[in-house]
Amino acid sequence: MPARLPKILLDCDTGIDDALTLLYLASLVRTGDAELVGVGTVHGNIDPATGALNTLRVLELAGVEGVPVAVGAGRPMAQDVHYALDWHGQDGLGDTDLPAPAGAPTGEAAAAQIVRLAREHPGELSLLAIGPLTNLAAALLLDGELPGLLREVVIMGGAFDHPGNITTHAEANIWHDPEAADLVLAADWPVTLVPLDVTHPTAVGEQWLTKLAAHDSAAARFAVRILEFYVTAYTPVLKRRGAVVHDALAAMLITNPEVCEYTERPVRVERRGELTRGATVWDARSIPADDDRRASRVATGVDVAAFQDRLLAALLSLD
Ligand SMILES: [Ca+2]
């Protein structure tokens, strides 16, 4: 009996590593290993309208047609909006200034799209969130039955036994909207959290980048172009030429959960800390968690070679 075909609903802030993740997802779609039922965009790396145009650009480049792209929340629930232009460029795609896409966003709000698609495919969707969690929180507020309608929620976000990447303690996706993130982690749905603890070790380096650059396809050339900006931003952090394609690891776990190891713990988001706002907190004591919140499945270990090989193969598989 054939395995169930994953149906993925993506929420993103495209963004260089989001763009690479879209290429990865496009390769799954092209090989018939997953279906991409929709994309929503949110503030984060860039504003959501630009993020939607970037998403359309990448899907068109990868030859994936008919996927609705909805613009979502333009700001967080309880703080000012911040973009990450130093890491992703003024256009979100490494200042590559690509022409406008042929397609356009649907006009539906991303949170409404989540609710609609979840109701159209009850129990079937893997909701993959690789940006701040404002759209997911808004969708929860729109439809109290949403948690029971999704198969799973996979989130790139958080940092536990790892420093933050936007403040000393906070990871960017959570820090961009801590109130939304805590609502999402409090909901009664099966969450897999993919924190910096597992994404940072997967940083691609010189050899991987060289293999990608040696491949002559439109998708590979585009990936090389946007990675050039990202690598320049990352090199001082990594102290070697390389970059962390955080979002792609979360995407990979939908079809290949064995790439990571996990632990199950309730997770909360620090919302009041003067130095720690946006930090993800778990009870790591070896006693039953004193928390009635549903446990999240948190990735704690990663097969780095498996991730890098799969990502490279996917990028090289596109025309
Ligand atoms: Ca992202």
Side-chain angles (χ1 to χ4, degrees):
M1 186 162 157
R4 182 192 67 90
L5 186 69
K7 292 184 179 180
I8 299 172
L9 171 54
L10 177 66
D11 200 84
C12 58
D13 56 340
T14 314
I16 293 173
D17 62 326
D18 304 78
L20 295 166
T21 303
L22 280 162
L23 292 177
Y24 176 76
L25 292 172
S27 82
L28 295 183
V29 171
R30 297 277 299 270
T31 54
D33 291 311
E35 187 181 335
L36 184 61
V37 299
V39 183
T41 62
V42 64
H43 67 89
N45 292 331
I46 191 103
D47 70 273
T50 306
L53 297 179
N54 288 345
T55 299
L56 288 160
R57 287 180 173 104
V58 179
L59 290 175
E60 288 171 13
L61 175 90
V64 173
E65 293 175 353
V67 176
V69 176
V71 177
R75 52 155 294 170
M77 291 186 157
Q79 66 186 21
D80 292 337
V81 69
H82 295 270
Y83 304 130
L85 307 183
D86 289 350
W87 290 88
H88 298 272
Q90 297 296 315
D91 63 356
L93 292 178
D95 293 334
T96 46
D97 294 320
L98 297 177
T106 57
E108 186 176 31
Q113 180 176 259
I114 291 172
V115 169
R116 180 178 59 78
L117 289 173
R119 290 213 165 262
E120 286 176 15
H121 306 270
E124 292 186 329
L125 298 187
S126 294
L127 177 52
L128 171 62
I130 57 174
L133 296 170
T134 317
N135 290 336
L136 275 67
L140 283 169
L141 298 178
L142 283 173
D143 188 342
E145 294 178 356
L146 184 65
L149 294 169
L150 290 163
R151 179 183 169 83
E152 62 176 342
V153 182
V154 181
I155 299 167
M156 191 278 127
F160 294 91
D161 296 324
H162 194 283
N165 65 347
I166 194 156
T167 68
T168 54
H169 286 70
E171 178 278 329
N173 284 343
I174 306 295
W175 179 87
H176 278 290
D177 196 342
E179 281 71 23
D182 200 59
L183 275 172
V184 168
L185 292 170
D188 185 18
W189 52 12
V191 168
T192 298
L193 200 54
V194 185
L196 295 180
D197 308 59
V198 285
T199 63
H200 240 273
T202 68
V204 297
E206 193 65 56
Q207 272 195 333
W208 190 95
L209 292 164
T210 302
K211 283 183 199 163
L212 181 64
H215 194 78
D216 190 29
S217 69
R221 284 194 298 274
F222 168 73
V224 168
R225 262 184 96 189
I226 59 175
L227 271 163
E228 201 174 298
F229 188 98
Y230 206 44
V231 166
T232 302
Y234 255 111
T235 295
V237 176
L238 298 171
K239 301 185 172 54
R240 61 178 170 90
R241 238 175 78 73
V244 188
V245 191
H246 303 275
D247 294 343
L249 180 60
M252 197 174 288
L253 297 184
I254 292 174
T255 51
N256 295 89
E258 75 284 358
V259 172
C260 278
E261 294 166 357
Y262 308 88
T263 190
E264 303 246 348
R265 289 195 176 132
V267 176
R268 290 175 180 264
V269 177
E270 176 58 70
R271 283 155 290 154
R272 287 179 228 160
E274 185 184 343
L275 302 174
T276 53
R277 181 168 156 80
T280 44
V281 177
W282 63 11
D283 186 346
R285 295 175 296 180
S286 57
I287 54 174
D290 181 20
D291 194 329
D292 54 9
R293 180 169 288 196
R294 179 171 177 159
S296 293
R297 188 172 72 136
V298 184
T300 53
V302 59
D303 183 339
V304 173
F307 167 78
Q308 294 185 347
D309 291 350
R310 276 190 177 278
L311 180 59
L312 186 65
L315 296 176
L316 300 190
S317 77
L318 295 166
D319 304 337

